[in-house]
């Protein structure tokens, strides 16, 4: 079978396999820079591969999720968070008959725009960028794939399909006035919610591993009570490590299966029969059942109070912000310290935006080393 036939076969299989409201690769509205279709891969498979081969993707391995990289080898990084999100989203997508390749591409790119030190980095950058166009990581993910990646002679960015780029516009209200999500897909919404499932569960897991979660508070959490009751009944002699791992697994499974069932019913009720119908729907396409949605809010509040505000996490956050603020300030005061490719971007994008793009692209350890190079008298520059 020649290459072209391989792609066409996959596209035909999509017709049979996918739900009527799924986005079919063959129907993609294409790319900003027109390109010939690949012989063997569908449009979304090709997007996924471009994302995996990008430098922004490789940098995710040294970017913080919650725990700074050097705090320990077992904590999630932005990369492992991305892989967990992708894996959860694909399971949900497959169960709903959605386009898994599109889901994979959106999930793998969804956090490319995160700066170093997780949300600390985002807070620091958005504060500095007030009055200079702002900074928000979802918008930055789009900026990376549309403009900043430099791998192709014909165009800037990755020249991804319209559907993947629209899918990256999480929290559409943030894109208002610029480029809000004009094209809806159940695939994109599955990724949005899989992201939440992934971080809620793995942050809890990491918090338990770091022994930062107060046991007596955890036992008040509805989810935890339910999991513990089940585990005690099934494995009365289970040890502490297995118990926590199992509870996290059960939690992910509970959220995933609830989302699948509730969404299936919801889509049926909406009567959507095509990707076109989906565009007209007001409100969410993908959702949890009301009781689970309530428990999930409770879990997020819990994490907020007991993990994200834990004094050790706050220390990591504050340190991260300081690195970014000082390095940004040093460049602003003397732009001549910026490497030549960044200075070229200053001419195009202005000083603040060029520095913001440069720093937000850095990994945690890169900013730390840059800090040393700029401020430590005996460090080589
Ligand atoms: Mg994420």
């Amino acid at each position: 079978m020649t290459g072209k036939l391989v792609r066409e076969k996959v596209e035909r299989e999509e017709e049979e396999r996918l739900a009527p409201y799924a986005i079919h690769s063959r129907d993609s509205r294409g790319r900003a820079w027109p390109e010939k279709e690949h012989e063997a891969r569908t449009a979304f498979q090709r997007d996924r591969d471009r994302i995996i081969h990008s430098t922004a993707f490789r940098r995710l391995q040294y970017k913080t999720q919650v725990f700074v990289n050097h705090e320990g080898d077992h904590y999630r990084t932005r990369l492992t968070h991305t892989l967990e999100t992708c894996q959860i989203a694909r399971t949900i997508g497959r169960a709903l008959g959605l386009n898994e390749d599109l889901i994979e591409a959106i999930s793998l790119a969804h956090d490319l725009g995160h700066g170093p030190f997780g949300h600390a980095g985002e807070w620091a950058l958005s504060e500095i960028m007030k009055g200079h166009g702002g900074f928000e990581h979802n918008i930055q993910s789009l900026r990376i794939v549309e403009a900043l990646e430099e791998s192709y002679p014909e165009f800037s960015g990755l020249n991804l399909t319209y559907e993947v780029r629209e899918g990256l516009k999480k929290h559409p209200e943030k894109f208002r006035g610029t480029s809000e999500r004009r094209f809806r897909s159940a695939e994109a919404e599955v990724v949005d919610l899989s992201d939440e499932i992934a971080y809620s569960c793995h942050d809890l897991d990491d918090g338990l591993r770091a022994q930062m979660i107060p046991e007596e508070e955890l036992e008040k959490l509805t989810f935890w009570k339910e999991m513990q009751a089940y585990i005690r009944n099934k494995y009365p002699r289970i040890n502490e490590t297995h118990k926590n791992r199992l509870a996290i697994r059960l939690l992910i499974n509970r959220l995933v299966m609830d989302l699948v069932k509730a969404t299936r019913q919801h889509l049926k009720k909406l009567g959507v029969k095509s990707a076109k119908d989906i565009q007209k729907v007001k409100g969410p396409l993908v959702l949890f059942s009301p009781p689970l949605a309530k428990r999930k809010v409770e879990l997020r509040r819990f994490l907020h109070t007991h993990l994200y505000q834990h004094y050790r996490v706050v220390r990591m956050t504050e340190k991260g912000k300081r690195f970014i603020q000082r390095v940004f300030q040093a460049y602003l005061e003397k732009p001549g310290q910026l490497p030549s490719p960044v200075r070229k971007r200053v001419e195009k994008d202005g000083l603040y935006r060029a520095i913001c793009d440069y720093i937000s692209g850095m990994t945690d350890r890169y900013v730390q080393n840059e800090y040393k190079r700029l401020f430590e008298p005996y460090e080589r520059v």
Side-chain angles (χ1 to χ4, degrees), residues 87-97 190 194 197 256 259-260:
Q87 168 265 121
I88 288 170
R90 287 184 52 183
T91 302
I92 295 168
R94 196 178 310 137
L96 292 171
V190 163
S194 301
I197 296 177
V256 167
L259 191 78
V260 168

Side-chain angles (χ1 to χ4, degrees), residues 143-144 146-150 155-157 338 340-355 357:
R143 184 163 163 74
I144 287 171
E146 287 183 344
L148 298 181
E149 271 290 324
E150 283 177 25
F155 46 79
S156 301
L338 289 162
S340 347
V342 185
R343 281 168 81 174
K344 265 196 207 123
R345 288 214 89 102
V346 174
E347 291 161 28
K348 195 164 159 264
D349 299 322
L351 185 57
Y352 271 82
R353 181 57 60 196
I355 297 176
D357 284 338

Side-chain angles (χ1 to χ4, degrees), residues 101-349:
D101 297 322
L102 175 57
I103 284 180
E104 206 178 0
I106 300 171
S107 355
L108 293 176
H110 90 281
D111 267 352
L112 291 180
H114 257 296
F117 302 112
H119 285 283
E122 178 157 26
W123 295 325
L125 288 171
S126 69
E127 203 159 293
I128 301 169
M129 290 302 285
K130 255 185 215 150
H132 301 277
F135 177 82
E136 201 277 330
H137 79 267
N138 293 295
I139 296 179
Q140 192 67 14
S141 297
L142 202 64
R143 184 163 163 74
I144 287 171
V145 303
E146 287 183 344
L148 298 181
E149 271 290 324
E150 283 177 25
S151 304
Y152 300 86
E154 301 93 340
F155 46 79
S156 301
L158 301 175
N159 198 34
L160 302 179
T161 57
Y162 177 76
E163 292 75 13
V164 171
R165 283 180 288 125
E166 286 297 300
L168 290 176
K169 295 175 182 174
K170 195 181 177 186
H171 309 300
E173 67 279 2
K174 289 181 181 152
F175 290 84
R176 203 151 290 152
T178 50
S179 49
E180 60 215 73
R181 197 178 264 175
R182 285 157 300 183
F183 177 82
R184 296 189 69 182
S185 66
E187 282 82 353
E189 290 185 29
V190 163
V191 175
D192 293 349
L193 289 172
S194 301
D195 183 22
E196 287 182 25
I197 296 177
Y199 72 67
S200 303
C201 295
H202 66 48
D203 288 354
L204 181 61
D205 190 33
D206 281 351
L208 286 167
R209 199 184 288 276
Q211 295 178 321
M212 287 187 191
I213 308 273
E215 198 78 16
E216 65 286 1
E217 293 299 326
L218 187 61
E219 278 156 17
K220 292 182 202 158
L221 200 66
T222 314
F223 260 147
W224 201 254
K225 271 193 272 188
E226 289 168 349
M227 305 300 154
Q228 296 309 313
Y230 172 85
I231 294 170
R232 261 198 311 274
N233 185 29
K234 193 157 183 211
Y235 305 98
R237 278 199 291 274
I238 196 168
N239 71 39
E240 205 56 23
T241 313
H242 284 162
K243 195 183 82 185
N244 286 347
R245 293 292 96 79
L246 178 57
I248 299 294
R249 277 206 304 280
L250 290 170
L251 188 57
I252 298 175
N253 191 54
R254 183 96 195 275
L255 287 161
V256 167
M257 292 318 293
D258 180 84
L259 191 78
V260 168
K261 280 180 204 144
T263 303
R264 201 178 275 151
Q265 281 169 7
H266 181 60
L267 291 172
K268 207 168 156 196
K269 213 167 82 195
L270 288 171
V272 284
K273 300 236 157 30
S274 67
K276 237 189 197 156
D277 286 353
I278 274 183
Q279 307 309 314
K280 293 175 233 148
V281 174
K282 301 251 183 296
L285 299 163
V286 177
L287 39 70
F288 292 100
S289 69
L292 263 265
K294 217 173 120 195
R295 283 175 180 67
K296 202 186 58 101
V297 171
E298 195 195 343
L299 172 62
R300 280 178 70 172
R301 283 210 193 107
F302 176 87
L303 287 170
H304 198 79
T305 316
H306 298 290
L307 181 63
Y308 307 144
Q309 287 177 15
H310 190 283
Y311 79 94
R312 281 176 57 205
V313 173
V314 176
R315 281 186 189 186
M316 292 183 231
T317 308
E318 289 306 304
K319 261 202 231 181
K321 275 162 73 177
R322 270 197 294 276
F323 278 119
I324 290 175
Q325 284 158 345
R326 291 188 184 162
V327 169
F328 205 117
Q329 202 53 39
Y331 294 149
L332 270 185
E333 278 166 20
K334 197 77 190 165
Q337 296 180 96
L338 289 162
S340 347
V342 185
R343 281 168 81 174
K344 265 196 207 123
R345 288 214 89 102
V346 174
E347 291 161 28
K348 195 164 159 264
D349 299 322

Side-chain angles (χ1 to χ4, degrees), residues 14-24 96-99 273:
E14 283 186 2
E15 298 293 328
E16 292 158 26
R17 193 166 40 87
L18 300 186
Y21 42 77
I23 308 298
H24 294 219
L96 292 171
L98 299 173
N99 193 321
K273 300 236 157 30

